[in-house]
Amino acid sequence: QSGHYGRDLTGECNYGGRVTDDKDRRLLISVMDRFYTPDVVNDDSFTFSPSGDYYAPVDGQYESYLEYIRSLPLIPNPEVFGLHENADITKDQQETNNLFDSILITLPRQASGVGKSPQDVITALANDILSKMPKEFDEEKAMKKYPVVYAESMNTVLLQELKRFNTLIVVVRKSLVDIGKAIKGLVVMSQELEAMFASMLVGKVPDLWDAKSYPSLKPLGSYILDLVARLKFFQNWITKGIPKVFWISGFYFTQSFLTGATQNFARKYKIPIDHLTFDFEVMESEETMDGKPEDGVYVHGLFIEGAIWDRTEKMMGEAAPKILYDTIPVVWLKPAEKKNISKEGIYEAPVYKTSERRGTLSTTGHSTNFVMFMMMKSDKPQEHWVNRGVALLTQLDD
């Protein structure tokens, strides 16, 4: 009991006021639980990590403590923080990316006399992207085919998504045309186009696009492929009807899609929408289903970081060495009343749009990155996966 007092004093009172994000507070308390425990003083065999390298030394002479400190690894292993060994790989990748980002900033913009000039490279790149970018969606035509009706909130979700993507398409196409003209000297190379030129030259998404875009950490080439795939997803929705399985990664504003799914259920069964939440069932199929569910929606496109989804046991499992991500099969999002949801034997995994795992509150009151908590079946306590930093992502960085 005294361990809880110490944990609450440190985690909630001292640091809690500075940690405003509820996921960070959850992690903070979980880490505290590993150290603020009576076992530290009552059990001489108690260790802070599975390897046994980290423990509270028994009562002894001053020199014995120094000897213990010298025996600790010079570079702390991820296990001391409760992380998987793969965390080292992720850390090294981030440091490498930061190093290369710094190097790219110092690259000269002028041609060295061999090969294409930067202007030629950007002109060719702009033309290539323009050739891949479809035209804007016909919102009026889509509205006629999918009118706003009480029984089907997904029509409203579709129309809102088309509007958002149309805004992005216009910005991308116009800026690519303008930069082509600016390189030829037909229009003035503004500050925005100058910054766009520099970003494209090093394979980054221009800030001009980023301001109107969904969150993404992908490099320019992957971003364009991802954007085209998203536009194709919605074009298929318009042409072929509401999908049996929704590609959750393809939405600009994922929360509106989730609200639409909940709203359909609330209107069908006449239950106040604020009494509802989602229950989750991971299916066996990886991407497709034979039909739509009676209630709720099927989604695919999620990735899990820090763990795997064990297809045999149908629950979360430890990640394999050097495998940083695993895909999640189709998930059935089942709206249900909050009072009927059981949280036994599950891990509440936060779902993020990008691996950055942080965002800002938008004007709608939703985070620009965090989507929701998804309850994943597990035979381990929540604290195990919280310390592992396990989360679901709608997209990867490459």
Side-chain angles (χ1 to χ4, degrees):
Q1 190 68 30
S2 60
H4 289 303
Y5 293 144
R7 180 201 69 183
D8 292 341
L9 183 65
T10 308
E12 298 285 4
C13 302
N14 190 18
Y15 293 108
R18 298 180 179 88
V19 182
T20 55
D21 184 84
D22 56 332
K23 277 75 68 181
D24 290 340
R25 286 171 71 96
R26 183 176 75 159
L27 174 60
L28 179 63
I29 295 302
S30 183
V31 170
M32 291 291 177
D33 274 335
R34 297 176 61 234
F35 295 93
Y36 282 75
T37 169
D39 291 336
V40 174
V41 291
N42 296 335
D43 183 3
D44 288 345
S45 63
F46 177 79
T47 62
F48 297 114
S49 64
S51 69
D53 290 341
Y54 301 93
Y55 57 88
V58 295
D59 188 22
Q61 297 297 318
Y62 175 73
E63 279 300 324
S64 68
Y65 300 136
L66 293 180
E67 190 62 33
Y68 169 68
I69 293 170
R70 291 190 195 102
S71 72
L72 293 174
L74 288 176
I75 301 175
N77 296 319
E79 63 169 7
V80 72
F81 306 108
L83 296 167
H84 191 275
E85 62 188 79
N86 287 344
D88 261 346
I89 301 174
T90 303
K91 172 184 70 70
D92 292 342
Q93 283 184 340
Q94 289 177 345
E95 289 179 351
T96 304
N97 288 336
N98 290 336
L99 173 63
F100 281 128
D101 285 344
S102 300
I103 292 172
L104 286 172
I105 292 172
T106 66
L107 284 179
R109 289 266 311 270
Q110 299 301 318
S112 61
V114 180
K116 290 184 177 180
S117 67
Q119 290 77 10
D120 292 338
V121 170
I122 298 302
T123 300
L125 181 57
N127 290 335
D128 181 54
I129 296 173
L130 277 171
S131 68
K132 294 175 181 175
M133 286 293 296
K135 294 181 180 178
E136 300 121 86
F137 294 109
D138 189 334
E139 292 182 50
E140 287 189 16
K141 190 175 179 181
M143 192 177 292
K144 288 178 182 177
K145 188 172 182 180
Y146 298 94
V148 177
V149 291
Y150 183 81
E152 186 50 87
S153 297
M154 286 301 164
N155 290 1
T156 305
V157 173
L158 172 63
L159 296 174
Q160 290 175 346
E161 287 291 303
L162 297 185
K163 190 176 188 66
R164 294 185 185 101
F165 276 108
N166 273 350
T167 302
L168 178 56
I169 292 171
V170 169
V171 169
V172 171
R173 292 186 69 91
K174 183 178 185 302
S175 61
L176 288 172
V177 171
D178 286 349
I179 203 166
K181 290 179 179 178
I183 290 171
K184 292 176 182 177
L186 301 176
V187 297
V188 175
M189 180 71 84
S190 65
Q191 192 172 351
E192 282 185 335
L193 292 178
E194 184 83 21
M196 179 178 168
F197 185 99
S199 296
M200 291 177 67
L201 198 59
V202 294
K204 286 190 169 186
V205 177
D207 291 340
L208 189 61
W209 301 358
D210 201 41
K212 299 295 182 182
S213 174
Y214 48 86
S216 178
L217 300 178
K218 293 179 181 291
L220 182 59
S222 299
Y223 176 84
I224 294 299
L225 292 175
D226 178 64
L227 175 57
V228 171
R230 290 172 186 245
L231 300 178
K232 185 178 179 182
F233 166 69
F234 284 104
Q235 187 57 57
N236 287 338
W237 184 342
I238 295 169
T239 308
K240 301 176 182 178
I242 297 176
K244 296 174 184 175
V245 181
F246 292 91
W247 183 36
I248 195 169
S249 313
F251 289 93
Y252 189 113
F253 186 49
T254 318
Q255 288 90 339
S256 70
F257 162 68
L258 299 173
T259 302
T262 313
Q263 202 167 53
N264 278 348
F265 185 87
R267 289 173 174 176
K268 180 178 179 180
Y269 296 101
K270 294 180 172 53
I271 301 172
I273 193 169
D274 57 341
H275 289 188
L276 297 176
T277 185
F278 283 111
D279 199 1
F280 305 89
E281 182 179 343
V282 181
M283 315 303 286
E284 292 187 0
S285 175
E286 293 294 324
E287 286 191 13
T288 59
M289 297 294 290
D290 293 333
K292 299 176 187 177
E294 179 66 27
D295 294 313
V297 290
Y298 291 132
V299 300
H300 77 94
L302 289 170
F303 302 88
I304 185 168
E305 182 181 24
I308 63 166
W309 179 257
D310 191 322
R311 267 73 170 170
T312 305
E313 300 295 331
K314 296 183 179 178
M315 65 173 63
M316 291 174 62
E318 293 290 355
K322 300 181 182 179
I323 305 298
L324 303 183
Y325 304 99
D326 187 25
T327 56
I328 300 290
V330 173
V331 182
W332 181 9
L333 275 56
K334 300 184 282 188
E337 291 193 70
K338 293 176 183 177
K339 63 182 181 181
N340 298 330
I341 297 293
S342 171
K343 294 189 177 181
E344 294 293 322
I346 58 100
Y347 167 60
E348 290 184 273
V351 182
Y352 295 96
K353 294 178 183 177
T354 71
S355 64
E356 197 173 28
R357 299 197 187 191
R358 62 186 176 90
T360 55
L361 284 180
S362 63
T363 52
T364 60
H366 295 92
S367 168
T368 54
N369 203 341
F370 175 73
V371 179
M372 63 174 170
F373 281 109
M374 186 173 283
M375 293 182 288
M376 307 290 287
K377 191 177 177 184
S378 168
D379 61 353
K380 291 183 172 65
Q382 284 238 43
E383 292 74 20
H384 176 80
W385 301 116
V386 170
N387 291 335
R388 281 279 195 263
V390 175
L392 301 181
L393 307 174
T394 63
Q395 58 178 307
L396 300 181
D397 298 350
D398 52 11

